[in-house]
Amino acid sequence: MTVLPLGRLPRPPARRAAPHRLIVAIVLILPLALIFGSLAGFAIGRIAAPPTSYRDQRLAEITAELGRIDGDYLLASGDSHVARWHAREFCGLPVVNAGVDGATAGDTDALLAQIALPRPPRAIILTVGTNDANRKRFRDPPQAVIRFGEAFRPLLRRLSHTADLVVVTGVPAIDVSQVDGFSAEAATAIGASAETTCRASTSCRVAKSFNADDPLTDGLHLADYGHAYERIAPALCPALANRRPPSPAASQNADARRP
């Protein structure tokens, strides 16, 4: 047996592989950590950001359409009956469709209060009242008519301050055998209330667009809105021809009179 002198014991080999493995691990893990962190942040941002509501989406679409209008135009406002009328032109003028599915008279008033018009429209076509006849909104038909009137009167004032002519089309009939939750009695009474309020205003004209025998697709909506709205042309188009387009000063005065 060989005895080594004291102080000359063999040294263990140096561990040079450990730092190398650490560097390799950092190089591989760091990009993955950055990627997963970015994805997590994106997911959190998606969760935290509130979704865009249908109403806000429609408001943005209407505002964009108004921005593309150069010159005179007609404004169609109200509920899904208006929204499903796809006319781009009527009485020789472009149509800006501001209809919103599910809108009541109060909803329509609130939406129009947020819309900045580039100039007053030559006329406003208004169809509203069906959603005010939804049974979840009232106890009985007389109450539905009262609530509708309370919302419709300020709406009509707003529209009358915005345009020299407002055309109220009436409310389509409801087939309760096809749809639940709506009152045909309330819808009929609401339509009559809208017409009575319109006739009391010098700037409003009743031009019925809907007939009781118009084919419906689901108990609420018409199969052919183009044909239905054509019925108001004899009342609206000659009236537009006899009226001068509003001046920019009239637009400013209209804005000043808005409630």
Side-chain angles (χ1 to χ4, degrees):
M1 179 180 67
T2 304
V3 179
L4 294 176
L6 187 63
R8 298 189 60 183
L9 295 174
R11 297 179 179 178
R15 296 183 178 181
R16 298 180 181 179
H20 177 71
R21 287 197 295 270
L22 179 61
I23 293 173
V24 172
I26 292 173
V27 171
L28 292 177
I29 293 173
L30 183 60
L32 293 175
L34 292 174
I35 293 173
F36 284 118
S38 299
L39 291 175
F42 177 74
I44 293 172
R46 289 285 299 275
I47 295 172
T52 301
S53 69
Y54 164 70
R55 181 184 180 280
D56 292 339
Q57 179 182 344
R58 282 295 294 138
L59 183 61
E61 292 170 351
I62 295 164
T63 301
E65 190 172 356
L66 284 167
R68 293 190 290 268
I69 292 295
D70 183 18
D72 293 336
Y73 67 100
L74 301 175
L75 181 67
S77 181
D79 52 31
S80 58
H81 299 301
V82 172
R84 295 186 180 209
W85 180 35
H86 301 302
R88 305 302 302 172
E89 185 177 292
F90 199 67
C91 296
L93 294 172
V95 176
V96 174
N97 193 312
V100 176
D101 290 353
T104 63
D107 296 333
T108 302
D109 190 28
L111 179 77
L112 292 175
Q114 293 186 268
I115 295 176
L117 300 177
R119 65 193 64 81
R122 291 290 301 279
I124 298 176
I125 302 168
L126 177 63
T127 304
V128 72
T130 295
N131 295 298
D132 294 271
N134 191 321
R135 291 186 181 276
K136 69 180 181 181
R137 303 182 186 278
F138 58 87
R139 191 171 54 251
D140 50 41
Q143 185 188 51
V145 177
I146 293 172
R147 289 186 175 181
F148 171 80
E150 291 172 347
F152 185 77
R153 285 188 293 271
L155 168 60
L156 187 57
R157 283 197 300 270
R158 180 183 301 280
L159 299 183
S160 298
H161 293 163
T162 302
D164 291 335
L165 178 61
V166 180
V167 175
V168 171
T169 66
V171 178
I174 295 176
D175 185 354
V176 293
S177 67
Q178 297 185 55
V179 62
D180 294 328
F182 287 81
S183 168
E185 180 184 354
T188 300
I190 283 171
S193 174
E195 293 175 13
T196 300
T197 305
C198 174
R199 290 191 174 98
S201 172
T202 57
S203 61
C204 188
R205 178 173 299 187
V206 175
K208 291 188 177 183
S209 180
F210 310 109
N211 290 338
D213 58 352
D214 285 334
L216 303 175
T217 59
D218 54 7
L220 287 177
H221 299 102
L222 273 63
D224 186 355
Y225 280 99
H227 179 68
Y229 278 100
E230 280 294 333
R231 296 179 184 134
I232 69 175
L236 176 58
C237 300
L240 291 175
N242 295 331
R243 292 172 182 261
R244 293 181 179 179
S247 64
S251 173
Q252 295 176 0
N253 292 336
D255 291 337
R257 293 195 302 268
R258 286 180 182 175

